[in-house]
Amino acid sequence: MIFWTELTDKLNRITLNFPDEREKEYRDFYFVRSYKTTRFAYLILSLLYAFFGYLDSLVAQQYFDLFIIIRVIVVVLLLFVFFYSYTTKFRNNWQTLIFITYFLGAVGIILMLVMLPEVVVYSSGLILVFLAGSVLIRLRFLAFSISSWLVIIFYIIAGIIWDVDYTIVMSNTFFFAGAIIIGMIAAYRTEVFNRDNFNLYLQIAKKNVQIEHANKNLEDKVEERTKLLNFRNKELKEEVKRRSLVEKELIAAKEKAEESDKLKSAFLANMSHEIRTPMNGIMGFANLLHEAESEEEFDEFVDSIIKSGEHLLNLINDIIDLSKIEAGILKIEKSNFELNRLTKEIYDMFSVDSNIVSKNIKLTYHDGLPDEDSLIYTDRVRLKQIMINLVNNACKYTDEGSVEFYYTIQENSLHFVVKDTGIGIPDESQKFIFDRFMQASNGRTSGRDSTGLGLSITKTYLNLMGGSISVKSKIDEGSEFSFILPDIIEIKKPLEYDTI
């Protein structure tokens, strides 16, 4: 075992091979650094070998056909290696191919040399091939040495067989041997230099790995510290943001409480005024009943009492609904009902309304579904109250022209629209028209028996039912109120049957 190890070490010193896995890495390294040079060298050698064919026509006319055949074979082999170098398989056997073609190219020249021993141009050609092989084609030291000495041996044998003059054979052998020795020294120094460079490359790569590892550790530490700092900064920002939000919420709550107190105070003052107005009407006309001088005057007083009572009742209902909303006890109770029947009820109710009849307003409506398909699923009581509030407002604030309401069904949602040709709503009032305790005013709303609660209650109902409301209006042209109520079609779950 020790003998074999020592023998292997000695062979490695001769062949310059690494004794470990570095040898495979070096061969890959050497190929990557050499294959382009080898490819270029084979192209040059093909041109040189073909060029000597011209010399054949000048000095070897009697062997011209044979020499051309030899040159064609060798040039084809050289070009084959040249083109094969562009494939991925070239890496696996490139040194073997170089060895074979180098040897065959030299053998071809030797054959021509022994046939024309007196022509020195062929010996020069052989020397040129050797020098090109040692410098250009990147054949490794051991393969170059073996192939070169084989060529000389072949030349000596061929000279004996062709009975070439002894002095010519020895002279050419001397020059060939000199070229081989020079080529071997060059190949040896080149391979030693390449292997030293490769060792240096491995050491640098190892150092680079260590440096990269150290940099990575440093980067990890910096990243960890950066993350910690960012986390602390984020916590600090969040704390500052949280305190800022708390401060804003406290300020907003304080302002809201103050505004709520003001609104409630104004509401109570307004309600006391609103309640006193119909109550004064009722009491005043009730006292006047005793002084009625005719039946017509008596009926007129009774109608005034009834209107004041209805206004008072509507006001009380609005206050009760608002109280339920504020207390959070208002519940939405859904059921299936025919929407067309509800719109007919609304039309019948307002077609005899005093606002419609006394001002000769044209009231129209149309349904978006046929009667047999108008079944919807929602809170009928709240939906009716919403419609009444919107149609009532349209009738109340329209002095002439028309009031129209209609609906459409779009993607399982109810779209309800009320249009009128009334007095309109100023742009600045449209921003708060749905707010509680607010009432729009443009100088022409007085005397219309409004509490300013209807639209607020309407919006609240729609919010509870998942809907929304909007308004478009222009002064002296009219208004358009529309709301959207989603999920009005009941989706029935399929029946589940027990399996046996």
Side-chain angles (χ1 to χ4, degrees), residues 16 33 70 78 80 123 135 151 158 186 243 247 305 312 320 345 359 365 377 387 393 409 458:
L16 300 179
R33 296 292 182 89
I70 294 173
L78 295 175
F80 169 76
S123 60
V135 175
V151 167
R243 293 189 179 186
E247 184 179 355
I305 293 172
L312 182 60
I320 292 172
E345 291 177 10
K359 293 183 283 189
Y365 84 104
Y377 181 72
M387 291 180 176
N393 272 359
I409 302 298
T458 296

Side-chain angles (χ1 to χ4, degrees), residues 68-104:
I68 288 298
I69 293 173
I70 294 173
R71 292 188 185 279
V72 169
I73 293 173
V74 174
V75 169
V76 169
L77 288 174
L78 295 175
L79 290 177
F80 169 76
V81 175
F82 171 76
F83 289 110
Y84 188 66
S85 67
Y86 285 94
T87 66
T88 55
K89 295 180 179 179
F90 183 65
R91 176 193 292 263
N92 300 329
N93 46 28
W94 72 297
Q95 284 289 312
T96 303
L97 286 173
I98 294 174
F99 178 88
I100 293 172
T101 53
Y102 175 71
F103 178 77
L104 291 178

Side-chain angles (χ1 to χ4, degrees), residues 28-72:
D28 291 336
F29 173 83
Y30 185 67
F31 173 80
V32 172
R33 296 292 182 89
S34 304
Y35 77 94
K36 290 183 179 180
T37 303
T38 300
R39 183 183 297 162
F40 176 75
Y42 266 82
L43 182 61
I44 297 299
L45 287 174
S46 300
L47 295 175
L48 288 175
Y49 219 97
F51 173 75
F52 276 103
Y54 172 73
L55 296 179
D56 293 339
S57 65
L58 297 178
V59 298
Q61 294 181 356
Q62 67 273 30
Y63 299 111
F64 181 74
D65 292 339
L66 177 61
F67 285 8
I68 288 298
I69 293 173
I70 294 173
R71 292 188 185 279
V72 169

Side-chain angles (χ1 to χ4, degrees), residues 231-250:
F231 179 73
R232 298 300 185 194
N233 288 336
K234 185 177 179 181
E235 283 185 336
L236 183 59
K237 289 180 180 179
E238 288 178 352
E239 180 64 19
V240 172
K241 184 177 179 181
R242 187 186 67 81
R243 293 189 179 186
S244 178
L245 288 175
V246 169
E247 184 179 355
K248 290 180 179 179
E249 288 174 357
L250 290 174

Side-chain angles (χ1 to χ4, degrees), residues 191-394:
E191 185 155 352
V192 170
F193 178 77
N194 288 333
R195 288 180 180 272
D196 289 342
N197 280 346
F198 178 69
N199 266 329
L200 183 60
Y201 166 79
L202 291 180
Q203 294 174 10
I204 293 174
K206 185 177 180 181
K207 291 295 182 181
N208 286 337
V209 170
Q210 294 175 351
I211 292 172
E212 288 178 3
H213 183 68
N215 288 339
K216 184 66 170 59
N217 290 337
L218 182 60
E219 289 175 0
D220 290 341
K221 289 181 180 179
V222 172
E223 184 178 0
E224 183 179 354
R225 296 291 177 86
T226 303
K227 286 182 178 179
L228 182 60
L229 288 175
N230 290 336
F231 179 73
R232 298 300 185 194
N233 288 336
K234 185 177 179 181
E235 283 185 336
L236 183 59
K237 289 180 180 179
E238 288 178 352
E239 180 64 19
V240 172
K241 184 177 179 181
R242 187 186 67 81
R243 293 189 179 186
S244 178
L245 288 175
V246 169
E247 184 179 355
K248 290 180 179 179
E249 288 174 357
L250 290 174
I251 294 174
K254 178 175 176 293
E255 292 176 350
K256 186 176 180 181
E258 292 175 351
E259 183 67 20
S260 179
D261 287 339
K262 291 178 182 179
L263 292 175
K264 288 181 179 179
S265 298
F267 173 70
L268 291 174
N270 186 45
M271 288 302 101
S272 63
H273 171 71
E274 293 289 341
I275 292 172
R276 282 199 303 270
T277 299
M279 283 299 297
N280 289 335
I282 292 172
M283 296 301 298
F285 284 107
N287 291 328
L288 290 174
L289 287 175
H290 298 291
E291 301 175 7
E293 297 179 355
S294 64
E295 186 174 347
E296 290 182 0
E297 190 176 10
F298 182 85
D299 292 339
E300 184 180 348
F301 293 160
V302 171
D303 288 340
S304 298
I305 293 172
I306 292 172
K307 289 180 181 178
S308 297
E310 289 176 350
H311 178 60
L312 182 60
L313 180 60
N314 289 334
L315 179 61
I316 292 172
N317 286 335
D318 286 345
I319 294 173
I320 292 172
D321 288 340
L322 188 61
S323 300
K324 288 182 180 179
I325 293 170
E326 291 286 346
I329 61 175
L330 188 68
K331 294 183 180 180
I332 301 300
E333 298 180 357
K334 293 186 176 183
S335 62
N336 289 306
F337 62 91
E338 294 180 4
L339 180 57
N340 288 0
R341 182 173 294 181
L342 177 59
T343 56
K344 182 66 168 55
E345 291 177 10
I346 301 298
Y347 175 78
D348 292 342
M349 178 186 302
F350 284 97
S351 61
V352 296
D353 185 79
S354 59
N355 288 306
I356 296 293
V357 175
S358 62
K359 293 183 283 189
N360 195 25
I361 298 172
K362 182 182 179 182
L363 178 66
T364 60
Y365 84 104
H366 62 269
D367 298 323
L369 293 173
D371 292 344
E372 61 272 14
D373 295 328
S374 65
L375 192 68
I376 66 171
Y377 181 72
T378 189
D379 191 323
R380 190 182 196 279
V381 175
R382 305 305 169 197
L383 179 58
K384 182 176 181 179
Q385 189 168 353
I386 291 169
M387 291 180 176
I388 289 174
N389 286 344
L390 295 179
V391 177
N392 183 51
N393 272 359

